Amino acid sequence: MKTAARRLIIAGNWKMHTDVVDGASLVAGVIERTESLALAADLVLCPPFTHLTVAATQLSGSSISLGAQNMHPAPEGAFTGEVSARMLLTSGCRYVILGHSERRTYFDETNESVNGKVRSAVSAGLTPILCVGETLEEREAGRTETVVDEQVRRGLAGTEPETADDLVLAYEPVWAIGTGRVATPDQADQVHGHLRAIVADMFDDDFAGRVRIQYGGSVKPENAGALMARPNIDGALVGGASLDASSFEGIVRAGIEGP
Ligand code: PEP
């Protein structure tokens, strides 16, 4: 069940879109349109790495938080091209998206490598947004619950509610990401309920009742209200529609005000 204890959390995943100048305009537009709404929901922007320090300056003094889209699990070292949790934290990030399906698909991330990142993020003081979700083939084979079960159990292995207190999960069915094909509120809520039950089984009911679970996959202002009105859907992870300040505002308003 959705409880008052679970504040909505709506995050924009910009992926590899916008240059630094366009990104700064988008941050400014989002601040202008959503700053007052950030009183009713946690809002997070996740631009590319190159934008983080500029965005952090723009967002300082606002209630909108900053997140990154990936990180390396090691604290530092000879890993050319990689970025650590501490680098993100000291660039102004509070959140980091981990295990996005694009990273699993194009960069060979596994539940084990994602788990290393989750543990490293938590120990550095970053809040992971752990993404899970099934492919169309897996859904059609009736394997949705098995797939997300494994992603959550292996992704969160070795973490504890005490340190991962504000952990966020994102259910992102792969077939709905960037396709315009959105899960129905019933489909999404059913999986979210299952995810919450897994967290209860792994940890305890109290933590499961607090953990926030976002839905992601073709969220738009038109479908966001019905999704976030569901008891187990505590927010949205938004890709394409977060690249337009007015669409992002529309999604935030729909989440707060309902369908
Ligand atoms: C995403 O990339 O996390 C996502 C959900 O993308 P979109 O909203 O474009 O489907």
Side-chain angles (χ1 to χ4, degrees), residues 125-248:
L126 280 174
T127 297
I129 299 177
L130 172 63
C131 301
V132 301
E134 81 288 1
T135 62
L136 187 57
E137 201 182 17
E138 289 163 341
R139 172 162 281 266
E140 286 173 346
R143 298 192 58 239
T144 298
E145 294 198 350
T146 314
V147 169
V148 298
D149 196 294
E150 200 162 311
Q151 289 171 327
V152 170
R153 286 183 194 277
R154 290 164 78 175
L156 295 182
T159 58
E160 290 159 11
E162 291 72 34
T163 46
D165 191 49
D166 53 355
L167 168 84
V168 178
L169 295 179
Y171 170 54
E172 297 210 308
V174 179
W175 47 271
I177 298 178
T179 58
R181 216 183 136 179
V182 64
T184 65
D186 278 347
Q187 282 175 321
D189 196 51
Q190 193 202 341
V191 180
H192 282 228
H194 180 65
L195 294 176
R196 208 174 293 291
I198 299 166
V199 175
D201 185 51
M202 281 184 80
F203 304 102
D204 56 51
D205 287 346
D206 179 53
F207 186 49
R210 280 184 288 123
V211 103
R212 293 182 292 178
I213 310 177
Q214 299 174 313
Y215 167 79
S218 298
V219 175
K220 305 269 179 306
E222 303 74 46
N223 56 35
L227 285 159
M228 286 186 262
R230 287 307 172 113
N232 278 303
I233 303 184
D234 309 312
L237 181 54
V238 186
S242 71
L243 294 169
D244 178 86
S246 111
S247 293
F248 192 67

Side-chain angles (χ1 to χ4, degrees), residues 11-229:
N13 171 17
W14 292 9
K15 313 193 186 196
M16 198 173 73
H17 292 295
T18 73
D19 64 23
V20 171
V21 175
D22 295 339
S25 304
L26 182 51
V27 171
V30 170
I31 293 173
E32 195 183 315
R33 287 173 171 274
T34 65
E35 171 62 2
S36 61
L37 304 174
L39 296 172
D42 288 344
L43 305 183
V44 186
L45 297 183
C46 304
F49 290 142
T50 46
H51 302 28
L52 291 175
T53 49
V54 175
T57 305
Q58 291 180 280
L59 294 173
S60 68
S62 92
S63 319
I64 303 170
S65 300
L66 190 62
Q69 302 172 20
N70 180 37
M71 52 167 263
H72 192 277
E76 64 179 344
F79 300 108
T80 302
E82 294 293 323
V83 168
S84 73
R86 178 144 183 84
M87 290 171 192
L88 298 181
L89 201 64
T90 54
S91 297
C93 290
R94 173 165 175 199
Y95 295 90
V96 59
I97 298 171
L98 294 175
H100 191 282
S101 71
E102 287 153 14
R103 299 228 39 105
R104 293 179 192 259
T105 304
Y106 305 131
F107 301 96
D108 300 325
E109 292 198 5
T110 62
N111 288 327
E112 284 60 46
S113 63
V114 172
N115 177 246
K117 295 180 183 202
V118 167
R119 290 200 283 176
S120 167
V122 168
S123 66
L126 280 174
T127 297
I129 299 177
L130 172 63
C131 301
V132 301
E134 81 288 1
T135 62
L136 187 57
E137 201 182 17
E138 289 163 341
R139 172 162 281 266
E140 286 173 346
R143 298 192 58 239
T144 298
E145 294 198 350
T146 314
V147 169
V148 298
D149 196 294
E150 200 162 311
Q151 289 171 327
V152 170
R153 286 183 194 277
R154 290 164 78 175
L156 295 182
T159 58
E160 290 159 11
E162 291 72 34
T163 46
D165 191 49
D166 53 355
L167 168 84
V168 178
L169 295 179
Y171 170 54
E172 297 210 308
V174 179
W175 47 271
I177 298 178
T179 58
R181 216 183 136 179
V182 64
T184 65
D186 278 347
Q187 282 175 321
D189 196 51
Q190 193 202 341
V191 180
H192 282 228
H194 180 65
L195 294 176
R196 208 174 293 291
I198 299 166
V199 175
D201 185 51
M202 281 184 80
F203 304 102
D204 56 51
D205 287 346
D206 179 53
F207 186 49
R210 280 184 288 123
V211 103
R212 293 182 292 178
I213 310 177
Q214 299 174 313
Y215 167 79
S218 298
V219 175
K220 305 269 179 306
E222 303 74 46
N223 56 35
L227 285 159
M228 286 186 262

